[in-house]
């Protein structure tokens, strides 16, 4: 077994474009769940409308990619309004049910043959981000330290992805450390108390849903720009659960929680993946027990075990504060 | 000052639905039913401006439900009521609070993971930084935020919570939470305070200081209405007492008169409590 290769694969996964896309989705979800207390189980829907906003604008309507980004953001705002207007008066568990359903409805609609002229149905849409790659300032080649290398193409996507993560983190920091953020956090604690002090809770929840949704839609855009391919089935509910997982892992309700969570989560996932594959190839694990095709599923079982241990021994996440966790036991 | 507010109420008839010389809150035909049960059924009720009115009644009399309806936290089945001349029927709770009628809750709602100071800062009204876009531009609201922080610190000192300024509100004791909630309500600069059992679970020493706060607020011109089971507090603090039973106002009057009112005694102890009970009792 080549441990150096396993480690460098894990580091590559932790700082690669996919981790950046998940970090963005988690920063958005952190506004919803970590700060406002909204149990949004449909974050993937915001990623989907963002991704397809770009893909459809370019592939079908021949618009500029940058106009596509604007369309994606507008789609996320419209989705937040449609989703929020009827559901934000509901108690939090009903919001969770409504949002998870909305995510699945959107995915199934985008992959339906009815929507195929626009979305490409099950085949999705491809090659819509050329405009972005044409701007790549890095000359062709491999960049990196030692065995951790990225192509100039990956590097350019990483600049975009982590650049957006940095912007979004600063944005959320400013929002949360303001009177607006104080109202948002008070709604998380007790919305009737906020109401009794004259705060229009409904409007604040809607604003929170829109902001977090728009940031999440950028996550979806980075994801499909990275692969140059938008496919409805890459936006299944599991994505939302991964986003929750890494948010809780990093620390919900902490500014850097989603960022750290995304890096650690993808490090661990890729680490187990590479470890299993190497162990199977080297014959340490008999292919009768776990064959190479099953390794992908087993790594998530191991990730699940890791999370279980995290919940038992550090439920507040890496950056979370224990004392706040205790106070949450209302 | 105490004499002044009792004096203004001295000519008021001690009967249910009595009209007051200067009512700040007036309710007509307010009814709230849950299925077949009329939890609240108030024909007419006026609360005097600048006075402390106590709302008493046995458990299940509808005191908290009436509070919820009046402050917009519950919708009545029927009825109209107005606060300082504004009709409140159908108005959302946060707008009622902005008009200056601010309530507290029977089960205190300390915002657990906000600090004590943040709890108070939150309550300040018309904050520029509470707008989503304005919040990003610190210079727009920094001055106001500093002024409100000073105001919050004054209130904390007055309520002897200043040593807990940076503590999470969730770590406070029950009595401290009651103080915090009262201080937080005051931070909104209300015209009328609606306190739902401000003394429940508060130790006697803290209760005494809470009472002093409440009477001094009244002396500064604020109107106070509170629900309370502690009769000592009702008798020593209030200027006027309204007694509810089974959702209706059964008696009103100055505290001393209400203690002797047969309808009130009936409501609390059950009817016929003072009659010779039965023929088989030995004579």
């Amino acid at each position: 077994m080549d441990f150096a290769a396993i480690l460098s694969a894990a580091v590559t996964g932790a700082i690669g474009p996919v981790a950046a896309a998940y970090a963005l989705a988690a920063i958005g979800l952190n506004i919803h769940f970590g700060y406002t207390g909204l149990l949004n189980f449909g974050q993937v829907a915001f990623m989907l409308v963002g991704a397809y906003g770009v893909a459809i604008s370019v592939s079908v309507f021949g618009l500029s990619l940058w106009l596509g980004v604007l369309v994606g953001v507008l789609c996320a705002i419209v989705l937040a309004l449609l989703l929020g207007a009827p559901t934000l008066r509901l108690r939090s568990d009903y919001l969770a049910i409504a949002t998870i359903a909305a995510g699945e409805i959107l995915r199934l609609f985008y992959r339906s043959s009815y929507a195929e002229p626009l979305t490409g149905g099950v085949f999705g849409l491809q090659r819509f981000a050329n405009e972005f790659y044409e701007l790549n300032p890095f000359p062709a080649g491999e960049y990196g330290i030692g065995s951790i290398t990225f192509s100039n193409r990956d590097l350019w996507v990483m600049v975009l992805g982590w650049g957006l993560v940095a912007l979004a983190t600063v944005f959320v920091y400013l929002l949360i450390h303001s009177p607006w953020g104080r109202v948002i956090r008070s709604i998380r604690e007790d919305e009737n108390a906020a109401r009794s002090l004259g705060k229009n809770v409904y409007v604040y929840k809607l604003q929170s849903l829109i902001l977090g949704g728009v940031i999440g839609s950028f996550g979806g855009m980075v994801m499909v720009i990275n692969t140059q391919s938008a496919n409805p089935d890459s936006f299944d509910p599991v994505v939302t659960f991964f986003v929750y997982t890494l948010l809780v892992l990093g620390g919900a309700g902490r500014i850097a929680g989603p960022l750290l969570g995304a890096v650690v989560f993808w490090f661990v996932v890729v680490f187990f993946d590479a470890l299993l594959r190497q162990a199977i190839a080297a014959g340490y694990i008999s292919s009768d027990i776990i064959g190479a095709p099953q390794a992908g599923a087993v790594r998530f079982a191991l990730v699940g075990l890791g999370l279980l241990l995290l919940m038992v021994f550090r439920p507040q996440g890496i950056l979370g504060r224990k004392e706040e966790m205790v106070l949450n036991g209302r | 000052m105490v004499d002044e507010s009792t004096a203004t109420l001295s000519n008021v008839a001690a009967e249910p639905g009595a009209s007051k010389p200067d009512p700040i809150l007036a309710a007509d035909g307010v009814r709230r039913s849950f299925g077949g049960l009329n939890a609240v059924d108030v024909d007419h009720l006026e609360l005097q401006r600048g006075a402390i009115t106590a709302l008493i009644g046995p458990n299940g009399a509808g005191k908290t439900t009436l509070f919820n309806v009046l402050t917009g936290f519950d919708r009545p089945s029927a009825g109209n009521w107005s606060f300082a001349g504004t009709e409140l029927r159908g108005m959302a709770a946060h707008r009622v609070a902005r008009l200056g009628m601010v309530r507290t809750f029977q089960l205190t709602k300390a915002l657990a993971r906000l600090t004590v100071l943040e709890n108070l800062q939150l309550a300040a009204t018309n904050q520029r930084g509470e707008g989503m876009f304005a919040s990003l531009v610190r210079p727009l609201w920094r001055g106001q935020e500093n002024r409100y922080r000073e105001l919050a610190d004054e209130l904390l000192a007055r309520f002897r919570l200043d040593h807990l300024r940076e503590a999470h509100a969730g770590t406070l004791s029950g009595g401290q939470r009651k103080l915090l909630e009262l201080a937080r309500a005051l931070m909104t600069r209300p015209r009328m305070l609606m306190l739902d059992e401000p003394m429940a679970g508060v130790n006697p020493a803290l209760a005494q200081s809470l009472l002093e706060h409440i009477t001094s607020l009244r002396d500064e011109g604020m109107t106070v209405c509170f629900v309370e089971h502690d009769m000592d507090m009702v008798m020593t603090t209030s200027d006027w007492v309204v007694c509810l039973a089974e959702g209706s106002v059964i008696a009103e009057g100055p505290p001393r008169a209400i203690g002797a009112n047969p309808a009130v005694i009936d409501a609390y102890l059950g009817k016929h409590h003072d009659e010779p009970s039965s023929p088989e009792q030995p004579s």
Side-chain angles (χ1 to χ4, degrees), chain A residues 171 175 177-180 182-183 185-186 188-190 192 195-196 198-200 204 207 211 324 327-328, chain B residues 73 94 97-98 105 109 111-113 118 121-122 124 127 129-130 132 135-136 138 141 145 168 170:
Chain A
F171 178 71
L175 275 175
H177 293 88
S178 78
W180 187 87
R182 197 160 54 213
V183 177
R185 290 186 298 131
S186 78
R188 173 188 70 190
E189 299 303 313
D190 193 318
N192 276 335
R195 221 170 253 135
S196 77
K199 313 301 175 193
N200 191 345
Y204 281 100
Q207 289 178 345
L211 287 176
E324 289 189 6
L327 295 179
N328 194 23
Chain B
F73 278 80
H94 70 273
R98 283 182 200 171
F105 296 86
K109 294 185 182 300
L111 301 162
R113 283 179 288 173
E118 282 176 323
Q121 285 177 297
L122 171 75
Q127 297 194 49
E130 284 185 355
M132 183 171 63
S135 71
L136 295 169
R138 199 163 289 231
W141 47 265
E145 179 84 350
H168 282 123

Side-chain angles (χ1 to χ4, degrees), chain A residues 133-213:
Chain A
Y133 289 107
E134 279 159 18
L135 292 174
N136 191 345
F138 303 109
E142 293 285 315
Y143 297 83
I145 310 152
S147 57
I148 303 159
T149 58
F150 294 95
S151 69
N152 62 324
R153 181 188 179 285
D154 282 348
L155 203 59
W156 183 221
V157 184
M158 283 160 66
V159 168
L160 170 77
W162 292 112
L164 284 173
V165 168
L167 275 179
T169 303
V170 170
F171 178 71
V172 172
Y173 177 89
L174 289 175
L175 275 175
I176 294 305
H177 293 88
S178 78
W180 187 87
R182 197 160 54 213
V183 177
I184 286 291
R185 290 186 298 131
S186 78
I187 292 170
R188 173 188 70 190
E189 299 303 313
D190 193 318
E191 61 178 73
N192 276 335
R195 221 170 253 135
S196 77
L197 298 171
K199 313 301 175 193
N200 191 345
V201 169
Y202 181 68
V203 165
Y204 281 100
K205 281 179 168 182
L206 206 54
Q207 289 178 345
S208 161
L209 195 66
I210 292 171
L211 287 176

Side-chain angles (χ1 to χ4, degrees), chain A residues 8-317:
Chain A
S8 63
V11 172
T12 310
I15 60 175
V18 176
Y22 272 84
L24 280 169
I27 290 169
L29 187 65
N30 199 24
I31 299 181
H32 298 157
F33 172 70
Y35 290 111
T36 322
L38 297 176
L39 217 47
N40 167 22
F41 273 112
Q43 184 68 347
V44 72
F46 289 105
M47 300 169 76
L48 179 134
V49 297
Y52 271 93
V54 171
I56 295 173
S57 299
V58 178
S59 297
V60 180
F61 295 105
L63 300 175
S64 142
L65 178 72
W66 312 113
L67 214 56
V69 170
L70 204 65
V71 170
V73 168
L74 285 176
C75 287
I77 294 173
V78 170
L79 175 63
L81 289 172
L82 285 178
L83 202 58
T87 58
L88 287 178
R89 294 185 200 274
L90 300 178
R91 237 174 49 202
S92 62
D93 29 5
Y94 294 109
L95 178 70
I97 296 168
T99 48
I100 195 170
E104 273 298 81
I105 290 167
L106 274 178
R107 180 178 70 88
L108 293 170
F109 176 74
Y110 274 63
R111 82 194 293 282
S112 67
S113 51
Y114 173 77
E116 199 169 317
L118 275 183
T119 64
V122 287
F123 308 106
L125 299 167
Q126 284 78 32
R127 308 203 55 75
F128 38 78
N130 295 336
E131 221 176 318
F132 168 73
Y133 289 107
E134 279 159 18
L135 292 174
N136 191 345
F138 303 109
E142 293 285 315
Y143 297 83
I145 310 152
S147 57
I148 303 159
T149 58
F150 294 95
S151 69
N152 62 324
R153 181 188 179 285
D154 282 348
L155 203 59
W156 183 221
V157 184
M158 283 160 66
V159 168
L160 170 77
W162 292 112
L164 284 173
V165 168
L167 275 179
T169 303
V170 170
F171 178 71
V172 172
Y173 177 89
L174 289 175
L175 275 175
I176 294 305
H177 293 88
S178 78
W180 187 87
R182 197 160 54 213
V183 177
I184 286 291
R185 290 186 298 131
S186 78
I187 292 170
R188 173 188 70 190
E189 299 303 313
D190 193 318
E191 61 178 73
N192 276 335
R195 221 170 253 135
S196 77
L197 298 171
K199 313 301 175 193
N200 191 345
V201 169
Y202 181 68
V203 165
Y204 281 100
K205 281 179 168 182
L206 206 54
Q207 289 178 345
S208 161
L209 195 66
I210 292 171
L211 287 176
V214 167
I215 295 175
S217 77
F218 277 108
M221 293 179 209
V222 170
M223 210 177 221
V224 295
I225 285 174
N226 178 41
T227 54
Q228 279 264 45
S229 157
N231 190 298
D233 291 328
S234 39
F235 296 97
D236 62 6
V238 167
V239 175
T240 301
F241 293 119
F242 284 173
V243 175
Y244 260 102
T245 302
L246 62 87
L247 175 60
V248 172
L249 172 70
R254 314 289 303 159
I255 297 290
L259 207 166
L260 186 68
V263 169
V264 174
F265 177 82
W266 284 105
F267 180 90
V268 173
V269 169
V270 179
F271 180 85
F272 277 126
D273 189 56
L275 184 74
L276 276 173
R277 283 175 204 286
Q278 290 245 4
I280 292 165
Y284 292 118
I285 300 174
S286 160
S287 56
D288 295 338
I289 301 170
I290 309 169
Q294 284 103 48
V298 173
R299 66 177 169 161
F300 283 124
L302 290 173
V303 170
L305 181 68
L307 265 174
L308 207 68
L309 294 172
L310 183 80
M311 286 299 100
V312 172
F313 294 107
R314 201 175 167 82
Q316 70 273 35

Side-chain angles (χ1 to χ4, degrees), chain B residues 23-244:
Chain B
I24 191 166
L25 185 96
D28 272 298
V30 171
R31 201 177 78 239
R32 175 69 169 105
S33 42
F34 298 101
L37 176 80
N38 273 347
V40 167
D41 192 355
V42 172
D43 286 338
H44 186 76
L45 178 64
E46 291 180 5
L47 299 184
Q48 171 70 11
R49 191 190 310 268
I52 299 179
T53 305
L55 202 55
I56 64 167
N59 291 329
K63 305 181 295 289
T64 296
T65 308
L66 179 61
F67 252 50
N68 287 345
V69 167
L70 293 179
T71 53
F73 278 80
D74 193 1
R75 303 254 151 143
S77 315
N80 291 294
W81 68 104
S82 64
F83 171 74
T86 310
E87 280 296 325
L88 296 191
R89 169 135 210 206
M91 191 182 278
H94 70 273
R95 292 188 52 218
V96 175
R98 283 182 200 171
L99 279 179
M101 180 158 78
V102 176
R103 70 168 301 179
T104 67
F105 296 86
Q106 186 177 356
L107 298 169
T108 43
K109 294 185 182 300
L111 301 162
R113 283 179 288 173
L114 266 59
T115 65
V116 167
L117 178 66
E118 282 176 323
N119 263 268
L120 258 67
Q121 285 177 297
L122 171 75
T125 52
N126 294 319
Q127 297 194 49
R128 287 184 212 110
E130 284 185 355
M132 183 171 63
F133 297 109
S135 71
L136 295 169
V137 190
R138 199 163 289 231
L140 284 181
W141 47 265
R142 192 191 284 125
Q144 192 190 35
E145 179 84 350
N146 291 338
R147 277 198 304 284
Y148 279 140
R149 189 183 301 117
E150 283 167 26
L151 195 65
D153 277 328
E154 280 170 30
L155 272 170
L156 286 178
R158 182 170 166 187
F159 282 77
R160 290 175 218 144
L161 289 168
D162 38 351
H163 61 292
L164 296 165
R165 189 176 188 264
E166 301 300 331
H168 282 123
T171 62
L172 266 54
S173 74
Q176 288 168 334
R177 285 178 199 214
K178 287 280 178 196
L179 283 173
L180 174 63
E181 206 175 37
L182 183 57
R184 196 173 65 192
L186 288 177
M187 189 74 192
T188 67
R189 298 186 167 274
R191 290 144 92 184
M192 177 169 179
L193 269 178
M194 306 276 283
L195 309 173
D196 198 347
E197 299 201 18
M199 292 303 144
V202 179
N203 79 55
L206 268 172
Q208 193 53 43
S209 89
L210 260 176
L211 286 181
E212 284 161 18
H213 288 311
I214 291 172
T215 45
S216 69
L217 290 173
R218 186 263 326 270
D219 297 343
E220 288 165 19
M222 193 173 310
T223 310
V224 181
C225 174
F226 66 80
V227 167
E228 192 49 65
H229 282 299
D230 181 342
M231 280 304 141
D232 278 344
M233 173 177 174
V234 171
M235 291 303 156
T236 54
T237 314
S238 59
D239 305 314
W240 194 257
V241 181
V242 173
C243 181
L244 282 181

